Amino acid sequence: MQIYTKILIGMAVGAVVGLTLGPNSSLLEKDLYKVSDGAAVGLRLDRNEPDSELKLPRGVPLELRHVETVEGTVTDSTGATHTVPTWVKVRFRLSERLLLRDEGGKLAAQLGNKKLGQSVEAWLPISAEPLTGGGFTLSPMPVSALGDSIVAWAQPIGKLFMRLIKMVIVPLVFASLLVGVASLGDVRKLGRLGGKTLGLYMLTTAVAVTIGLIVAHVFQPGSFIAEADRAALLAQFGSAAEGKSEAAAMAPSAMDNVLAIIPLNPIESLASGNMLQIIFFAVILGVALTMLGEGEGKPVVNFFDRIQNAMIVVIHMVMAIAPYGVAALVAEVVGTSGFSVLKALLVYGLVVVAGLALQATLVYGGLVKVLARMPLIRFMKAIRPAQLIAFSTSSSSAALPVSMECAEENLGVSNSVSSFVLPLGSTVNMDGTALYQGVAAIFIAQVFQMDLTLGDQLSIVLAATMASVGAAGVPGAGMVTLAMVLTAAGIPQVGLALILGMDRLLDMFRTAVNVTGDLAVTSVMAVSEGENLDPLTPEADKADPDRGFEGRLDHDPKPVEPD
Ligand code: ASP
């Protein structure tokens, strides 16, 4: 079975497990209240006695098991009465963390000096927030304890895979870019390639935001959101959204960003994984080595060439466990997203995905067909492993090693083009993210019934294109830069809370498109530099163990003696 098929099966298994056995599964009993700060919820030993409120230390998250429910009736804004839970009796364990943070032993004394590991029962107040259109939103909402532990159990497998694949990024990018630049041997050629690449990256991004704006205007996702859902989303995600706006406010200015490309200390850039600085230094060093000439430069270039080859072997080893890692990552995202959020934001999510599909087929299809003379289907088949890794990790950086492998092995792009164009793309080119920001901005404006002028929409295009340059290729980066895009068009940032619940899921789709865009531009650049692309067929991949993803690990290891 091909690696691609195995990863796809892993993803499907992860999605099914996440939906049916995740914390928000509708099949499992919801018997756990998770609160991020125990002190904030006002647990009482006796629910009728305000003085019995527990003196919990601040900032300790609690897992509260459901014991029993007390219901009450409340009247909503339309005059209808509802029976809703008002108090739930919950049980929690005195953990090390609770007791360590219990200064002066206040909590322990209040509980009659209970010891570590003993459990406590207390009453948790449930608040009902009335909606103007009738009904209520309740908080906190319970999740399934079993689902929660299943996801928690799968988490380390996903993290293990992510760490292994990220481990390869810095040495691979640095070594292969240095070798690529040195083998070009011509600084002017590099300058030309850089200019063309950046130009095309910006162009595809601006087109992507525009597609986002158009689909959002055509399908009007904002008009499908019920008032109850809107209030529930604002209540559930409001505080998390504030964090995103704050992060955006801390972002440096455009000029600082440009200057920051030049590293003060290249070793520090490598150590911290600052991609643009690594690219800058690798290019400079590669150029310097060509100026030293064959005799002196060659040994260093050879050394990095071997490092590059070794990193490729590592990627192939890591890809062997990709199906399991991917299953765990997908289970976690699907399991924690929750069905109610998905239902409320279904139309919005579908509009984003439709826009992304248009970008992938029309824009990239056109680019690779017209400029790289390759049918879209062949292109898509060749880059599938990179798309799947991008989708399941939601990180274009994490997918970078696999993208480089796909470009060189499956598409036949030269190392000197792919090692320059792809690392650059993974940081500066995010078409999927930009498109998503276009839809999100219009969606939020629609929900808040704002009219955006043409000028506002142009600001969105400009801001989203610039933001995509500034955003890092990591999960959720697009949500932080979205705060900047909203400000540019005068849309209230509380709107972020509306879409936050769906963000992680849409991140997967947009990241896959980000990576597809990088690879489409890479193919075009290779052809524009006079290369002939040579897409690998599955049969050729199987037949040739030295090319493609199949059979690369079948070589027996042989001892390597130093000279
Ligand atoms: N996760 C995206 C990426 O790595 C960025 C984003 O849209 O959040 O490409």
Side-chain angles (χ1 to χ4, degrees):
M1 200 190 291
Q2 276 200 301
I3 182 81
Y4 161 78
T5 320
K6 288 188 207 156
I7 299 178
L8 213 56
I9 295 175
M11 263 165 54
V13 171
V16 172
V17 169
L19 264 187
T20 53
L21 298 173
N24 281 300
S25 155
S26 41
L27 301 176
L28 302 178
E29 192 194 348
K30 302 269 170 75
D31 52 357
L32 180 74
Y33 291 85
K34 290 184 90 166
V35 295
S36 54
D37 180 5
V41 289
L43 285 178
R44 287 186 198 168
L45 286 175
D46 179 348
R47 71 187 155 92
N48 297 318
E49 199 52 72
D51 287 346
S52 70
E53 187 171 322
L54 285 182
K55 297 188 178 65
L56 286 158
R58 290 239 148 252
V60 182
L62 287 184
E63 304 226 325
L64 307 166
R65 292 280 184 151
H66 177 265
V67 180
E68 70 177 85
T69 307
V70 173
E71 292 186 320
T73 51
V74 278
T75 312
D76 71 14
S77 55
T78 63
T81 52
H82 301 258
T83 309
V84 294
T86 48
W87 288 93
V88 279
K89 192 182 219 177
V90 290
R91 185 185 306 128
F92 64 97
R93 210 176 59 89
L94 280 184
S95 62
E96 280 97 345
R97 228 166 130 196
L98 261 182
L99 291 180
L100 279 173
R101 297 278 294 272
D102 181 25
E103 277 153 35
K106 283 190 229 151
L107 175 67
Q110 195 184 12
L111 297 174
N113 288 318
K114 284 216 175 192
K115 301 272 170 336
L116 178 69
Q118 286 186 313
S119 59
V120 177
E121 288 194 352
W123 291 94
L124 171 72
I126 303 292
S127 65
E129 198 64 46
L131 301 168
T132 42
F136 291 92
T137 62
L138 299 178
S139 79
M141 290 288 272
V143 294
S144 151
L146 176 64
D148 196 56
S149 37
I150 290 175
V151 165
W153 177 83
Q155 230 174 19
I157 307 174
K159 283 199 179 140
L160 174 92
F161 171 64
M162 278 288 254
R163 292 188 76 105
L164 282 171
I165 190 159
K166 283 187 180 171
M167 170 179 86
V168 187
I169 300 173
V170 170
L172 175 73
V173 169
F174 185 72
S176 73
L177 186 49
L178 184 140
V179 174
V181 171
S183 62
L184 268 179
D186 182 351
V187 188
R188 261 168 314 173
K189 189 170 172 194
L190 190 71
R192 196 181 58 213
L193 182 61
K196 280 192 295 192
T197 305
L198 283 178
L200 193 54
Y201 274 155
M202 295 293 226
L203 186 70
T204 52
T205 309
V207 171
V209 200
T210 312
I211 294 184
L213 295 182
I214 295 173
V215 288
H217 279 300
V218 171
F219 296 106
Q220 302 274 334
S223 59
F224 288 88
I225 183 139
E227 195 227 339
D229 291 332
R230 174 179 143 173
L233 291 166
L234 286 175
Q236 199 179 342
F237 297 105
S239 56
E242 264 169 42
K244 303 276 174 196
S245 312
E246 273 162 29
M250 307 280 283
S253 73
M255 194 60 210
D256 286 344
N257 274 334
V258 174
L259 284 177
I261 296 176
I262 305 169
L264 284 177
N265 174 354
I267 305 296
E268 190 186 315
S269 320
L270 288 167
S272 62
N274 184 323
M275 194 53 76
L276 291 180
Q277 293 185 349
I278 295 175
I279 293 175
F280 187 85
F281 185 63
V283 169
I284 297 282
L285 191 58
V287 170
L289 287 168
T290 61
M291 294 177 109
L292 281 181
E294 272 272 303
E296 283 186 60
K298 190 126 190 163
V300 182
V301 177
N302 277 346
F303 169 78
F304 281 108
D305 187 47
R306 304 304 184 269
I307 297 272
Q308 177 193 187
N309 290 345
M311 284 305 124
I312 291 174
V313 176
V314 177
I315 299 171
H316 285 273
M317 299 199 283
V318 177
M319 286 299 273
I321 65 155
Y324 308 98
V326 162
L329 290 169
V330 173
E332 189 189 340
V333 176
V334 173
T336 44
S337 289
F339 205 63
S340 60
V341 172
L342 298 191
K343 218 169 50 192
L345 294 173
L346 187 68
V347 179
Y348 159 73
L350 287 177
V351 171
V352 173
V353 173
L356 292 173
L358 284 178
Q359 173 81 7
T361 47
L362 296 185
V363 181
Y364 303 147
L367 271 184
V368 293
K369 179 85 200 144
V370 177
L371 297 179
R373 294 184 288 278
M374 195 193 319
L376 180 66
I377 305 276
R378 283 187 99 179
F379 169 74
M380 289 289 188
K381 273 197 177 149
I383 66 163
R384 279 184 314 197
Q387 288 175 320
L388 291 184
I389 298 300
F391 183 85
S392 47
T393 60
S394 292
S395 166
S396 356
S397 308
L400 180 59
V402 185
S403 309
M404 289 171 74
E405 258 309 79
C406 284
E408 289 173 32
E409 294 296 329
N410 293 3
L411 285 169
V413 175
S414 72
N415 172 250
S416 55
V417 169
S418 89
S419 68
F420 178 69
V421 179
L422 280 173
L424 199 61
S426 80
T427 28
V428 308
N429 184 51
M430 292 188 184
D431 301 344
T433 302
L435 187 148
Y436 150 86
Q437 293 180 334
V439 180
I442 301 293
F443 171 75
I444 295 171
Q446 283 167 354
V447 176
F448 289 124
Q449 288 164 1
M450 291 174 61
D451 279 327
L452 295 178
T453 62
L454 196 62
D456 291 336
Q457 307 201 30
L458 278 178
S459 323
I460 295 178
V461 175
L462 206 68
T465 309
M466 296 324 282
S468 117
V469 177
V474 296
M479 195 69 187
V480 174
T481 48
L482 177 59
M484 298 184 201
V485 176
L486 294 184
T487 319
I491 301 169
Q493 292 189 10
V494 283
L496 289 178
L498 289 175
I499 53 171
L500 203 60
M502 189 77 159
D503 182 66
R504 193 59 182 78
L505 214 58
L506 292 178
D507 200 356
M508 303 169 96
F509 290 93
R510 64 185 194 243
T511 308
V513 170
N514 289 344
V515 167
T516 309
D518 297 344
L519 281 155
V521 170
T522 306
S523 315
V524 171
M525 287 304 137
V527 172
S528 81
E529 289 295 311
E531 292 177 13
N532 281 320
L533 297 184
D534 171 23
L536 183 71
T537 59
E539 297 72 40
D541 188 355
K542 259 196 215 118
D544 181 357
D546 289 328
R547 222 190 133 186
F549 280 89
E550 308 301 322
R552 291 289 287 259
L553 294 177
D554 296 347
H555 295 289
D556 285 332
K558 293 182 195 69
V560 181
E561 300 275 346
D563 288 334

